[in-house]
């Protein structure tokens, strides 16, 4: 049920991000979500795209270091406190979140959240039991 | 359980060893003077005649030989015996320039194999052992040397040569090999493969003799633990015969140099001045028992330290440390000698085969060293935290190897400047300031 996330290594220098986005644009990849985590020396670009395989191939062909990680995708209602309730649910069940980011969902009045945890299976079970709708690559691929 | 292959030689008194060296040096020098025009000319150019050297104390008077001499004299220029007396050649895998070829009479081969036999016995080998030799055979000295030594000890010898891991593991388990001879990196690879195939509990190995490349103590512990063996270092150069110039005993704290065959000196690589034992310098060897290809004062470019401290194994031969690097690559940073090869070893031990570059700079009066490492899939992760953990591991390992702090910077793949396809390993910006 998980979502495939691409991460790409980028040095902290001008043009690094643009290089990655232009490779994807040339390959006709639609970037659904984009987030950057960085230190003072380098960063990790994390992305959800409509065709992760094709994107990973194009990036590594261009000499980039790419990782494909399974992350948990979940839909929350686009209203005040939506993210807070989600995080409380996870914390209450002892799930440690490494990072997360949200993006506009294809469903109406909803936001999609990508969560990086160490145990995808356990997290998905907890969320399903709490009544959340999980999303998968198929949902992401939908235009 | 101290055992020796040739007890009376390996535990001889220092006076006895000196007596052998004096006598054999003079004999070898006369032999070279009479039969080798190339070295005789070098001596005359330096104003030294054969009679000027009366003992080991006069060794410093003789001219050095370098790899350049060997290339210049290729192929027969440094031969000191008629070709008709020679039975064997070995050769180094030269990456630049001409290859270096060494010649052996049957007596030379026997003495070399004896040196290797001493190493095998020091590693606990007896005639009941099964020795698996997976060094390359052929021009490379690793395979033939250990193979011959193993025969001399009377071990069942498996002449595997390198590669074909599947077959290596099959023979290792089916024929119950007890001593493994190969490069340390191949030993690590074999260990890995044994675990992968679930064959770890089928092996009977007790010791390994690993040489021909640089390795660290960390790598030794790793191999020892994974294979359940004791791992021994061995050192040698084709120019001097091959492996077995020196070898480790059960103390595993340096390699005993076979001083009945070689006189060792350490010199300052810049000035050529002979250094006292205990000081780090370039190793220089003089072979004193060879007939076909005896080299006098051969500069190895390997930097090491000699120790004459009494060894618990009972051997009286001087011990040399593991070579720390090559003299022509040495950098002096904050007064500390740093070798690019040490850095490469650390990266290799961390499983990083990526490109790297060392940048040395000076801020005010303080030297700094930065090691740039290209990002690799093994090092990369989607979480910054795990990249930082790996980065810190490399920093710590460098600190313990070099003795000084080196900043580690991870850079994008293929971003390190290459010149004619080869990465530029060292940039010393201090030179810009003169
Ligand atoms: Zn010893």
């Amino acid at each position: 049920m998980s979502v495939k996330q691409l991460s790409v290594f980028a040095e902290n220098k001008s043009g690094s991000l643009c290089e990655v986005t232009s490779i994807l644009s040339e390959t006709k990849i639609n970037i659904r979500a984009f987030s950057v985590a960085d230190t003072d020396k380098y960063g990790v670009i994390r992305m959800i795209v409509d065709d992760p395989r094709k994107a990973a191939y194009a990036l590594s062909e261009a000499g980039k270091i790419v990782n494909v990680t399974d992350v948990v995708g979940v839909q929350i209602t686009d209203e005040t406190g939506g993210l807070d309730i989600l995080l409380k649910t996870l914390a209450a069940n002892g799930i440690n979140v490494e990072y997360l980011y949200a993006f506009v969902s294809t469903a109406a009045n909803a936001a999609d959240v990508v969560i990086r945890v160490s145990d995808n299976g356990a997290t998905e079970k907890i969320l399903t039991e709490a009544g959340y709708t999980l999303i998968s690559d198929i949902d992401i691929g939908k235009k | 359980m101290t055992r020796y292959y040739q007890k009376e030689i390996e535990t001889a008194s220092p006076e006895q060893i000196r007596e052998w060296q004096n006598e054999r040096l003079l004999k070898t020098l006369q032999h070279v003077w009479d039969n080798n025009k190339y070295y005789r000319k070098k001596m005359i150019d330096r104003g030294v005649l054969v009679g000027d050297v009366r003992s080991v104390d006069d060794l410093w008077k003789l001219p050095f030989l370098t790899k350049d001499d060997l290339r210049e004299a290729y192929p027969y220029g440094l031969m000191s015996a008629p070709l008709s007396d020679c039975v064997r050649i070995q050769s180094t895998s030269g990456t630049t320039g001409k290859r270096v070829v060494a010649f052996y009479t049957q007596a030379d081969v026997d003495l070399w194999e004896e040196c290797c036999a001493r190493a095998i016995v020091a590693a606990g080998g007896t005639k009941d052992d099964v020795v698996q030799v997976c060094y390359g055979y052929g021009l490379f000295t690793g395979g033939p040397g250990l193979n011959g030594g193993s025969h001399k000890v009377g071990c069942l010898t498996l002449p595997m040569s390198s590669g074909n891991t599947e077959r290596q593991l099959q023979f290792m388990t089916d024929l119950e090999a007890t001593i493994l001879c190969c490069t340390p990196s191949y030993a690590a690879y074999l260990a890995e493969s044994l675990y992968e195939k679930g064959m770890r509990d089928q092996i009977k190995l007790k010791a390994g003799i690993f040489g021909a490349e640089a390795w660290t103590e960390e790598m030794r512990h790793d191999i020892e633990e994974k294979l359940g063996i004791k791992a021994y270092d061995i050192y040698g150069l084709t120019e001097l015969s091959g492996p077995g110039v020196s070898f480790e005993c059960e103390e595993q704290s340096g390699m005993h140099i076979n001083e009945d065959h070689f006189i060792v000196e350490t010199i300052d690589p810049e000035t050529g001045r002979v250094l006292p034992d205990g000081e780090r310098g370039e190793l220089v060897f003089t072979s004193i028992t060879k007939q076909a290809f005896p080299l006098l004062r051969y500069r190895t470019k390997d930097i090491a330290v000699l120790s004459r401290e009494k060894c618990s194994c009972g051997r009286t031969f001087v011990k040399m440390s593991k070579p720390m690097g090559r003299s022509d690559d040495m950098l002096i940073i904050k007064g500390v000698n740093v070798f690019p090869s040490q850095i490469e070893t650390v990266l290799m031990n961390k499983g990083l085969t990526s490109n790297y570059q060392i940048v040395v700079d000076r801020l005010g009066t303080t030297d700094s060293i930065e090691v740039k490492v290209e990002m690799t899939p093994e090092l990369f992760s989607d979480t910054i935290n795990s990249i930082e953990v790996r980065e810190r591991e490399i920093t710590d390992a460098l600190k313990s190897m070099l003795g000084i702090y080196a900043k580690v910077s991870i850079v994008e793949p293929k971003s390190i400047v290459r010149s004619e396809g080869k990465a530029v390993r060292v940039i010393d910006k201090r030179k810009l300031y003169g």
Side-chain angles (χ1 to χ4, degrees):
Chain A
M1 195 58 193
S2 54
V3 174
K4 296 234 176 302
Q5 170 193 259
L6 295 189
S7 27
V8 183
F9 178 77
E11 260 182 88
N12 270 357
K13 57 183 185 193
S14 64
S16 283
L17 294 183
C18 181
E19 237 178 273
V20 171
T21 52
S22 62
I23 293 163
L24 294 181
S25 148
E26 275 161 29
T27 324
K28 307 258 180 297
I29 299 283
N30 183 19
I31 305 173
R32 296 293 319 283
F34 191 94
S35 108
V36 181
D38 62 353
T39 69
D40 54 342
K41 290 176 288 187
Y42 52 80
V44 177
I45 303 168
R46 301 168 186 142
M47 290 177 291
I48 306 294
V49 298
D50 59 349
D51 192 342
R53 278 175 60 114
K54 198 168 141 196
Y57 182 74
L59 288 165
S60 41
E61 280 292 288
K64 298 285 167 196
I65 299 284
V66 191
N67 224 346
V68 181
T69 325
D70 283 329
V71 289
V72 175
V74 60
Q75 214 168 69
I76 60 170
T77 49
D78 192 5
E79 62 184 26
T80 315
L83 190 58
D84 184 46
I85 299 166
L86 173 70
L87 287 176
K88 283 194 169 118
T89 308
L90 293 173
N93 286 282
I95 299 290
N96 179 36
V97 176
E98 294 240 31
Y99 59 79
L100 64 72
Y101 50 99
F103 54 105
V104 180
S105 175
T106 47
N109 296 324
D112 287 342
V113 179
V114 162
I115 316 169
R116 172 73 154 100
V117 289
S118 54
D119 190 340
N120 285 355
T123 309
E124 283 170 350
K125 189 159 170 283
I126 289 158
L127 290 175
T128 313
E129 280 166 10
Y132 282 96
T133 308
L134 297 178
I135 51 171
S136 70
D137 285 322
I138 303 152
D139 302 311
I140 303 277
K142 262 191 276 182
K143 295 277 157 63
Chain B
M1 119 12 305
T2 301
R3 298 190 66 261
Y4 314 96
Y5 179 65
Q6 289 159 313
K7 184 165 192 286
E8 63 297 345
I9 298 172
E10 294 175 63
T11 62
S13 70
E15 297 73 31
Q16 175 64 70
I17 293 170
R18 188 40 77 106
E19 202 181 307
W20 284 329
Q21 288 188 336
N22 282 335
E23 176 199 323
R24 291 171 190 180
L25 171 65
L26 297 190
K27 208 173 138 205
T28 300
L29 185 59
Q30 188 68 53
H31 173 65
V32 170
W33 178 268
D34 292 341
N35 297 291
N36 189 281
K37 260 191 280 182
Y38 188 94
Y39 197 75
R40 185 166 64 223
K41 181 172 182 309
K42 272 191 97 97
M43 282 175 68
I44 292 166
D45 287 348
R46 207 184 143 93
V48 191
L49 300 179
V50 68
D52 294 335
V53 175
R54 308 194 152 271
S55 74
V56 176
D57 293 330
D58 298 326
L59 193 59
W60 62 272
K61 294 177 182 170
L62 292 172
F64 291 119
L65 280 170
T66 65
K67 200 155 201 160
D68 288 339
D69 286 307
L70 268 68
R71 292 205 180 100
E72 198 186 314
Y74 172 92
Y76 298 124
L78 279 159
M79 288 263 289
S80 295
L83 207 51
S84 58
D85 286 355
C86 294
V87 297
R88 170 93 70 87
I89 70 149
Q90 302 287 166
S91 174
T92 59
S93 52
T95 45
T96 50
K98 285 182 206 156
R99 295 183 75 93
V100 165
V101 178
F103 299 84
Y104 304 71
T105 63
Q106 186 55 50
D108 292 336
V109 172
D110 284 336
L111 294 180
W112 170 31
E113 291 179 351
E114 264 176 34
C115 288
C116 291
R118 290 177 190 172
I120 292 169
V121 174
T126 69
K127 63 183 281 296
D128 299 324
D129 278 295
V130 178
V131 177
Q132 179 161 0
V133 183
C134 20
Y135 284 114
Y137 280 65
L139 289 173
F140 178 56
T141 51
L146 270 309
N147 189 85
S150 176
H151 282 198
K152 286 245 184 310
V153 177
C155 309
L156 175 63
T157 311
L158 316 182
M160 304 297 298
S161 197
S162 52
N164 200 340
T165 303
E166 200 83 19
R167 190 175 61 194
Q168 301 280 5
L169 298 184
Q170 192 194 336
F171 277 75
M172 183 185 288
T173 50
D174 291 353
L175 301 179
E176 303 189 337
T178 52
I179 298 177
L180 177 65
C181 302
C182 60
T183 59
S185 58
Y186 195 56
Y189 181 75
L190 285 175
E192 203 86 345
S193 307
L194 278 168
Y195 274 92
E196 266 168 31
K197 296 187 194 312
M199 294 165 76
R200 169 63 182 83
D201 55 353
Q202 295 170 38
I203 57 167
K204 295 280 190 290
L205 289 179
K206 64 175 188 187
I209 300 173
F210 306 129
E213 66 187 26
W215 51 313
T216 57
E217 280 306 306
E218 200 183 345
M219 209 166 158
R220 183 201 314 254
H221 295 316
D222 193 49
I223 294 170
E224 288 191 330
E225 201 179 308
K226 285 209 175 113
L227 291 176
I229 61 171
K230 273 191 95 167
Y232 298 88
D233 206 352
I234 186 165
Y235 173 87
L237 296 169
T238 304
E239 299 91 305
L240 296 169
S241 59
V245 170
S246 67
F247 60 95
E248 259 184 347
C249 62
E250 72 248 23
E251 221 185 68
Q252 295 176 305
S253 63
M255 295 172 271
H256 288 287
I257 295 168
N258 283 310
E259 287 187 285
D260 55 331
H261 297 300
F262 303 98
I263 301 172
V264 65
E265 300 166 276
T266 36
I267 61 160
D268 179 332
E270 301 278 315
T271 63
R273 189 173 61 90
V274 178
L275 301 171
D277 293 341
E279 258 183 59
R280 185 194 279 212
E282 180 179 342
L283 294 173
V284 174
F285 287 98
T286 296
S287 43
I288 49 173
T289 49
K290 287 171 73 180
Q291 298 173 343
F293 206 70
L295 297 185
L296 296 158
R297 299 197 88 199
Y298 180 64
R299 290 184 62 158
T300 61
K301 290 195 173 170
D302 286 326
I303 303 283
V305 177
L306 298 178
S307 163
R308 293 212 173 261
E309 256 171 59
K310 207 166 175 295
C311 188
S312 67
C313 75
R315 286 180 185 80
T316 43
F317 292 154
V318 67
K319 282 201 283 195
M320 60 174 265
S321 69
K322 207 183 261 298
M324 297 149 191
R326 311 277 299 162
S327 60
D328 39 5
D329 300 332
M330 190 171 82
L331 295 161
I332 301 174
I333 298 162
K334 293 177 190 165
V336 176
N337 298 345
V338 170
F339 300 94
S341 58
Q342 293 175 298
I343 292 166
E344 183 160 335
T345 305
V346 166
L347 297 178
M348 210 175 74
N349 290 356
K350 291 274 164 217
L352 293 173
T353 49
S354 59
N355 233 329
Y356 67 94
Q357 186 174 60
I358 301 157
V359 182
V360 185
D361 204 347
R362 179 175 292 150
L363 273 171
T365 54
T366 313
D367 293 336
S368 69
I369 174 167
E370 179 187 7
V371 180
K372 289 186 178 175
V373 183
E374 284 184 358
M375 183 52 108
T376 63
E378 301 81 55
L379 197 58
F380 186 55
S381 157
D382 63 312
T383 67
I384 295 269
N385 187 32
S386 30
I387 302 176
E388 283 180 334
V389 167
R390 299 290 309 273
E391 218 180 341
R392 255 197 312 278
E393 278 173 15
I394 300 170
T395 310
D396 292 347
L398 283 173
K399 176 91 204 277
S400 82
M401 172 67 107
L402 307 177
I404 54 168
Y405 167 77
K407 180 183 167 190
V408 172
S409 300
I410 299 176
V411 297
E412 294 213 25
K414 303 204 168 60
S415 65
I416 288 174
V417 186
R418 286 162 172 78
S419 126
E420 288 166 4
K422 273 194 85 179
V424 180
R425 287 287 177 237
V426 180
I427 293 182
D428 196 338
K429 292 185 177 169
R430 297 174 302 182
K431 283 179 183 151
L432 298 174
Y433 319 130

